[in-house]
Amino acid sequence: LTLALLKAAKRFVATIALENNTGLDAAEAHTADVAQFLKGYPAPVLAAAREWEKIGGAMDEVFGYLPKVRQSKYYDLERLARLVEATTFTLRERMEGTLRERYS
């Protein structure tokens, strides 16, 4: 917000000083890179799956998407492992829910 106000007021020297001192450009690049990687991640497809075929299809999409992490400059292996862990948790919930619906 401060940066936008400085740019709108055409305070270029203050804007450049703020950008250089805060590392805002690097943070924006990092955020944009990670957001770009996660934008197409099929987590909502898995979370919405209620049938075995859809769960299987969602997991195929997940495993097909994971190699795209190599295109990301900032999404490291440790972070990817946490994403896979969260996906596995969602998979377990979907499987449990499907089994409960079918055998209850």
Side-chain angles (χ1 to χ4, degrees):
L1 181 62
T2 303
L3 194 58
L5 289 173
L6 287 173
K7 285 181 181 180
K10 298 183 180 179
R11 302 290 185 179
F12 300 115
V13 174
T15 303
I16 292 171
L18 183 64
E19 287 176 341
N20 290 340
N21 292 339
T22 60
L24 193 57
D25 287 338
E28 285 179 347
H30 183 98
T31 303
D33 183 67
V34 170
Q36 181 65 29
F37 171 69
L38 290 176
K39 184 168 62 171
Y41 192 71
V45 176
L46 179 60
R50 301 279 188 254
E51 300 169 3
W52 292 111
E53 293 81 22
K54 291 183 180 181
I55 293 171
M59 287 309 297
D60 288 342
E61 287 184 44
V62 167
F63 287 118
Y65 194 82
L66 289 178
K68 292 183 181 182
V69 74
R70 290 180 285 193
Q71 297 170 357
S72 175
K73 191 174 182 181
Y74 298 105
Y75 211 88
D76 60 358
L77 191 58
E78 181 181 332
R79 197 167 191 178
L80 182 64
R82 290 194 313 255
L83 179 64
V84 170
E85 181 180 2
T87 302
T88 304
F89 181 75
T90 304
L91 173 63
R92 191 195 81 182
E93 286 182 334
R94 289 293 86 233
M95 291 174 70
E96 284 180 1
T98 303
L99 287 171
R100 287 179 204 274
E101 287 174 10
R102 186 169 182 168
Y103 294 110
S104 298

